[in-house]
Amino acid sequence: MTDDDPQTADRIRPAVELNNAFVALASSMRRRVLLGVLERSPREERTLSEELAAGRDVERNRVRAQLRHVHLPKLVVTGYVEWNESTGEITRGPAFDELVPLLRVLDGHAEHLPGAWP
């Protein structure tokens, strides 16, 4: 088999998608964003920032800067969320539904996970 072989591409694609899911879930802030969007879409960036800051006892402006410059761009690239930078609206992206089963399993078994969830 070569890299151009469709069978190879079919086997690589699910692994890449699963890796994207784990990268997206690697940050507790991104997990909270994804769970927030799962709960309700669309979400407002400002409101979400306030919720995240209150949950972590961190200044809202710092959380919002992290969202804008780190976490939301990563989630947009994976297709899990869409984000309108002008309005601050965050919605489910085209790949969000692929992540839902994993989010629900992890959230439903939070007490069995190492560390803190989300």
mmCIF file of all heavy atoms in Angstrom, residues 11 18 28 59 72-73:
data_model
loop_
_atom_site.group_PDB
_atom_site.id
_atom_site.type_symbol
_atom_site.label_atom_id
_atom_site.label_comp_id
_atom_site.label_asym_id
_atom_site.label_seq_id
_atom_site.Cartn_x
_atom_site.Cartn_y
_atom_site.Cartn_z
ATOM 1 N N ARG A 11 -8.051 4.475 6.701
ATOM 2 C CA ARG A 11 -7.602 4.083 8.040
ATOM 3 C C ARG A 11 -6.981 5.251 8.793
ATOM 4 O O ARG A 11 -7.091 5.337 10.002
ATOM 5 C CB ARG A 11 -6.597 2.937 7.955
ATOM 6 C CG ARG A 11 -7.300 1.599 7.867
ATOM 7 C CD ARG A 11 -6.305 0.513 7.907
ATOM 8 N NE ARG A 11 -6.091 0.216 6.497
ATOM 9 C CZ ARG A 11 -5.096 -0.463 6.006
ATOM 10 N NH1 ARG A 11 -4.171 -0.925 6.776
ATOM 11 N NH2 ARG A 11 -4.995 -0.698 4.732
ATOM 12 N N LEU A 18 -9.894 11.236 15.733
ATOM 13 C CA LEU A 18 -9.840 10.920 17.158
ATOM 14 C C LEU A 18 -8.741 11.727 17.839
ATOM 15 O O LEU A 18 -8.936 12.243 18.944
ATOM 16 C CB LEU A 18 -9.625 9.421 17.375
ATOM 17 C CG LEU A 18 -9.707 8.954 18.822
ATOM 18 C CD1 LEU A 18 -11.059 9.285 19.438
ATOM 19 C CD2 LEU A 18 -9.456 7.454 18.898
ATOM 20 N N SER A 28 -8.964 21.957 30.036
ATOM 21 C CA SER A 28 -10.228 22.053 30.777
ATOM 22 C C SER A 28 -11.072 23.229 30.280
ATOM 23 O O SER A 28 -12.297 23.146 30.268
ATOM 24 C CB SER A 28 -9.973 22.178 32.281
ATOM 25 O OG SER A 28 -9.338 23.395 32.592
ATOM 26 N N GLU A 59 -9.711 36.181 36.732
ATOM 27 C CA GLU A 59 -10.255 37.415 36.167
ATOM 28 C C GLU A 59 -10.873 37.150 34.792
ATOM 29 O O GLU A 59 -10.292 36.484 33.936
ATOM 30 C CB GLU A 59 -9.134 38.445 36.044
ATOM 31 C CG GLU A 59 -9.601 39.788 35.556
ATOM 32 C CD GLU A 59 -8.448 40.748 35.383
ATOM 33 O OE1 GLU A 59 -7.483 40.682 36.162
ATOM 34 O OE2 GLU A 59 -8.525 41.561 34.454
ATOM 35 N N LEU A 72 -10.568 29.183 21.412
ATOM 36 C CA LEU A 72 -11.556 29.234 20.334
ATOM 37 C C LEU A 72 -10.926 29.002 18.958
ATOM 38 O O LEU A 72 -11.481 28.234 18.163
ATOM 39 C CB LEU A 72 -12.346 30.543 20.377
ATOM 40 C CG LEU A 72 -13.339 30.639 21.538
ATOM 41 C CD1 LEU A 72 -13.962 32.027 21.605
ATOM 42 C CD2 LEU A 72 -14.406 29.567 21.441
ATOM 43 N N PRO A 73 -9.759 29.592 18.657
ATOM 44 C CA PRO A 73 -9.146 29.286 17.354
ATOM 45 C C PRO A 73 -8.858 27.789 17.163
ATOM 46 O O PRO A 73 -9.066 27.254 16.072
ATOM 47 C CB PRO A 73 -7.853 30.105 17.365
ATOM 48 C CG PRO A 73 -8.164 31.269 18.245
ATOM 49 C CD PRO A 73 -9.041 30.685 19.336
#
